[in-house]
Amino acid sequence: MRKKKESKKTIVLTGTAGFYGSSLLRELEKDPRYPNIIAIDCRKPPFELKKTRFYRMSLTETLADSKLVDLLKNEEIDTFIHMAFPYSPPHNLEAVHDLVSVGTMYILNCCAALKVRKIIMSSTTEVYGAHPSNPNFLSEDYERRGGYKSRFLRDKIEAENQFLAFAKKHPETIVTILRPCTTLGPNVRNYKTTFLQRSVLMRVMGYDPLVQFVHEDDVMRAFKLILENDCPGVYNIVGEGVLPISRVLKIAGKLSLPIPSPLLYPFVQLMWYAGIFAAPSSRLDFLKYLSVADGERAKKIGFKPKYSSKDALLSFLGAQRVKNVRLLERTVS
Amino acid sequence: MNDEGKIHYLKRGPGESWEELARRLETRLSELEKELGHHPRKEKTPALKLLKTFWFGDENEPVEYDEFGRDINFVKKVKPLFDFLYYNYWRVRVQGVKNVPSEGRGLIVANHSGTLPYDGAMIGLAVHNDHPVRRDVRFLVEDFVYHFPFLGTFMYRIGGVRACQENAERLLRENHLVTVFPEGIKGIGKHFKNRYQLQRFGRAGFIKLALKTGSPLIPTAVIGAEEIHPMIYKSTILARPLGVPYLPVTPTLPLLGPLGLIPLPSKWSIYFGEPFDFHKTYGPDAVNDQLLINRLSEEVRQKIQEMVIEGLKQRRSTWFG
């Protein structure tokens, strides 16, 4: 691990309209150590930019790699952070497949052409999949079985593999992949928060796996840590401790209906097709089986989560309650 | 405080033990409660709610579970049932429990039997009830258990952990006692005619664990578990769609329906043998020597087989010991 010198070099971010991308961009905007920032996305970041240069561009268009190289060839690019990934299961699998697989390929071609010093990718611990034969704490080297049932996760694993292959091919480049687990906090929105916002939830009867959470601020802290220090490799970013799902629902004060899994799977799939539920039935596995990642490796490089799993959940729930109250006020006035 | 504003102290009388004082204090307190008209309300809880609090825990009790999901309150709830099995039903007799280390890590290696894995729980109880330090033991569970509703959840709440190298290593590094059954499914699903014959010890993962983590191995023989569900036939074809390794046929099992799940009351004995300290003899580098590992594994197997034979010699009757 080498400390990075104070440099005037450029940092490029993709996917700055998404949650991780926009949060990290906000952090970097505040940080005077990073004067040159370039943001690339097909939508504008959701706040006003002061020093960041924003280029509107879709990574799925043909020859996006050449266009990117033309755009960035006069810059001295130090770090490339690739965050243009959807986090909630999509309905339009084809478009997302284009973005995740082909977009990643374009980004890596561009990085190779520009000889970028360091590339960082955001992934998720869902790539391990939920499986009854999982160890209680999945290390970074464990087999990724999330793609067996879900094409969306298969694409994500494939994108990770592209990065790992790139690291083999270009040993001079520092390649880091971060896998945050379920991220909760006051601002984050994904299919899991949608699930936790419902007042009546469905559980799989008889299954009560242990789950873990990480706070959004901790995820940002991890990304900044990787920016400041050079740590090649894959890292799980998780909060301390685990909670059984039943405990999570109890803390959240939700009413939960236990439904036998042979009935629940087709029902959830139907609701997913109808656009009422935020995730297809393959995600029910995460309510049935264990999928908890081990955060030891990230601790060794100096990542200390400030929130435990339970604190992250409480932070999310507290913000949620405040939002609900505000919503009431708005309807009244 | 009484009406005159004087405080009455309860003093320990001459020659009175603390227990007697505590009892006096309790009776005095209950008297006071009656005087003040305080009656703790006894509500009738509906059966469904009882079941719910049993399974999901009470709203008001502090939650204590460790990183593997062992729920201390749940253990307290189910312990009476297991204690009944231990003391009254199978009347477990324990020998050599001093061989289990009082502190630090240890790997209890035992023969597996009985169609349903009661032996893991009983070994744990033997150490908890009869060892001077009353240590808790974690046991490793076959992963097919986690396919089933309720069963997998129950197992991890009482301290079972899915059997794999990563989990066992983590437990040992945290200085737990861990029970392993190297025979696995082959042992527990033995035909009754093969009772007390130890099956092959798999890939000797437990030896690697002991060498890697520097844990002593305690060879353990369980006598009596073979007779709780004597398997006279097993069907693997019917078991496949259910995701179980086998469907047992015992004298009671399909015949009496759910009643057949009640195990038979044989008399059990558990023998803990002298620990093997392979990590001291061979050092951690021996992990890569597969030949040596297999040899050591066979050595442990022979030792447990000898202990089983010895235990059977001492046993005069299956049901009365």
Side-chain angles (χ1 to χ4, degrees), chain B residues 102-116:
Chain B
S102 303
E103 55 181 16
R105 53 195 74 171
L107 204 54
I108 297 174
V109 187
N111 59 320
H112 209 10
S113 54
T115 306
L116 288 173

Side-chain angles (χ1 to χ4, degrees), chain A residues 133 136 206-208 243 247, chain B residues 63 147 150 156-157 162 167:
Chain A
S133 63
N136 278 56
Y207 294 92
D208 192 8
L243 300 151
R247 198 75 214 163
Chain B
V63 185
H147 281 282
F150 302 109
Y156 84 66
R157 285 192 189 167
R162 199 230 131 195
N167 281 349

Side-chain angles (χ1 to χ4, degrees), chain A residues 1 10 26 43 77 91 96 149 152 163 169 230 239 258 275 277 300 308 319 323 327:
Chain A
M1 222 168 75
T10 315
R26 215 187 285 256
R43 286 174 299 163
I77 297 178
H91 275 283
V96 167
K149 275 191 170 183
F152 171 58
F163 264 74
K169 206 171 156 187
D230 297 342
F277 281 6
K300 280 184 191 133
S308 68
K323 276 181 195 167
L327 197 101

Side-chain angles (χ1 to χ4, degrees), chain B residues 238-254:
Chain B
L238 289 174
R240 212 161 290 155
L242 294 172
V244 280
Y246 53 82
L247 269 183
V249 176
T250 71
T252 55
L253 204 47

Side-chain angles (χ1 to χ4, degrees), chain A residues 132-137 142 203 205-210 242-244 246-247 250 288-289 294 296, chain B residues 56-57 59 63 65-69 143 146-150 153 156-157 161-162 164 166-167 170:
Chain A
S133 63
N134 274 349
N136 278 56
F137 292 91
Y142 200 78
R203 261 188 312 112
M205 193 182 213
Y207 294 92
D208 192 8
L210 302 163
V242 289
L243 300 151
S246 61
R247 198 75 214 163
K250 188 161 279 182
K288 270 179 88 172
Y289 306 126
D294 184 7
E296 282 303 311
Chain B
F56 293 115
E59 302 265 343
V63 185
Y65 38 69
D66 69 355
E67 55 178 1
F68 287 95
D143 44 303
Y146 292 94
H147 281 282
F148 292 103
F150 302 109
T153 310
Y156 84 66
R157 285 192 189 167
V161 174
R162 199 230 131 195
C164 66
E166 294 92 342
N167 281 349
R170 200 179 172 100

Side-chain angles (χ1 to χ4, degrees), chain A residues 190-219:
Chain A
N190 55 36
Y191 76 98
K192 285 177 175 164
T193 60
T194 318
F195 171 77
L196 282 172
Q197 277 166 15
R198 293 179 191 276
S199 46
V200 181
L201 298 168
M202 292 186 193
R203 261 188 312 112
V204 193
M205 193 182 213
Y207 294 92
D208 192 8
L210 302 163
V211 292
Q212 64 186 160
F213 302 115
V214 65
H215 196 275
E216 56 190 45
D217 296 354
D218 281 331
V219 177

